[in-house]
Amino acid sequence: MSGENISGENISGNQDELYQKRYGGDTYNTAYYLAQCAKSAIDVSYVTALGDDTISEDMISTFSTAGVNTDLIEKIPGAVPGLYAIQTDEHGERSFLYWRSEAPARQLFQTPQSETLKSELLKKDWLYFSGITLAILHSKGREAFFEFCQDFQAKGGKIAFDINYRPRLWVSKDEARSIIDKAYAISDLALPSYDDETLLFKVSSPQEAIDRITKLGAKEVALKNGAEEVYVHSHGETEKHDIIPANIVTDTTSAGDSFNAGYLYARLSGQDTPAAVKAGANLAKQVIAKAGAIVPVTPPTF
Ligand code: ADP
């Protein structure tokens, strides 16, 4: 649920400054890839808030065409979507500019429609969110969200969480640490990346990161580490899974998001953790071979 929304990528590189419009964000990327894998076998709904403008409408129709259910997207009258620009320099290095302080997604769980949203969400089996979801929510909405998570789990719902730590979205590291640890504590499935764990928590090995997260209460943890091994902790044991380095690495944007989708797809389909790592790695490899966060993929098979 929720996240960044619309992005513009400079495609001209000249004075004309032509930008290409794309829609995305970490949690949407995962929803998109899960929907590509599961087709109609799993109902994938995306939760965010947008405005009632033409871009918001176009975004909703793009999501829906991709197979993501948009029924739970709130439309806030007068609001306009968050915006960011991706600029690529002559060495291929990407940099980001953000205009999202007023993004309507920040108001989630605080709007008059929140009660309806919560009662609809309670009917779902899994709720997936990230550190970006938590960072962008206003503090009252964040509190309401954590309260909702308790009700959701009390009704048998399961929670999946990816840290996706973005320092600029948080007031301080201390705030990020305490909120992110609250999310780990309630995670049925945590999908962190080792890079983010080292950046925020200064752990010095994948095993240390896994131990820290499981001690907080997370039940299953799959720790990603680029082309290095994925560590999976479940039922009190940690397994290591080799990743075969990709021959083609064009753009690693969305590697973690697509891995999460493949992993979730496998686990939600009743597969074991080694099969889930394979599915996640397979999807991520397809995604990093192509440019852009959202690309066409062939679903992994079990
Ligand atoms: P994030 O995008 O969250 O930083 P990572 O960079 O850790 O995530 O990558 C997520 C997953 O993507 C890895 O676990 C792996 O499966 C896949 N991946 C990333 N980089 C490579 C690579 N160079 N070769 C093969 N797989 C990769």
Side-chain angles (χ1 to χ4, degrees), residues 125-129 149-150 152-154 156-161 182-191 213-214 217-222 233-235 263-264 267-268 273:
D125 300 319
W126 278 84
L127 179 65
Y128 172 86
F129 62 96
C149 287
Q150 273 184 350
F152 183 70
Q153 288 184 309
K158 305 263 191 221
I159 284 178
F161 172 70
K182 230 171 135 173
Y184 277 139
I186 58 168
S187 291
D188 293 284
L189 171 61
L191 292 155
I213 295 166
T214 46
K219 296 193 178 63
E220 179 170 324
V221 186
H233 184 95
S234 69
H235 302 295
Y263 193 96
L264 272 167
R267 296 297 276 145
L268 268 56
T273 55

Side-chain angles (χ1 to χ4, degrees), residues 179-253:
I179 304 291
I180 283 168
D181 277 353
K182 230 171 135 173
Y184 277 139
I186 58 168
S187 291
D188 293 284
L189 171 61
L191 292 155
S193 80
Y194 183 56
D195 275 356
D196 286 351
E197 281 298 308
T198 48
L199 199 59
L200 188 58
F201 294 104
K202 298 212 166 60
V203 286
S204 51
S205 69
Q207 187 63 54
E208 198 184 324
I210 291 268
D211 291 346
R212 204 193 71 79
I213 295 166
T214 46
K215 250 188 216 140
L216 289 164
K219 296 193 178 63
E220 179 170 324
V221 186
L223 182 92
K224 298 154 281 173
N225 191 10
E228 305 291 314
E229 292 160 320
V230 171
Y231 281 60
V232 176
H233 184 95
S234 69
H235 302 295
E237 288 186 13
T238 305
E239 320 149 348
K240 286 191 254 178
H241 300 272
D242 287 336
I243 294 294
I244 302 163
N247 293 325
I248 312 165
V249 182
T250 305
D251 178 359
T252 57
T253 313

Side-chain angles (χ1 to χ4, degrees), residues 93-114:
E93 285 296 317
R94 287 148 63 92
S95 62
F96 294 78
L97 293 172
Y98 298 105
W99 294 262
R100 60 179 165 201
S101 52
E102 300 302 320
R106 306 196 66 196
Q107 297 178 43
L108 272 175
F109 289 91
Q110 277 184 294
T111 63
Q113 297 100 310
S114 296

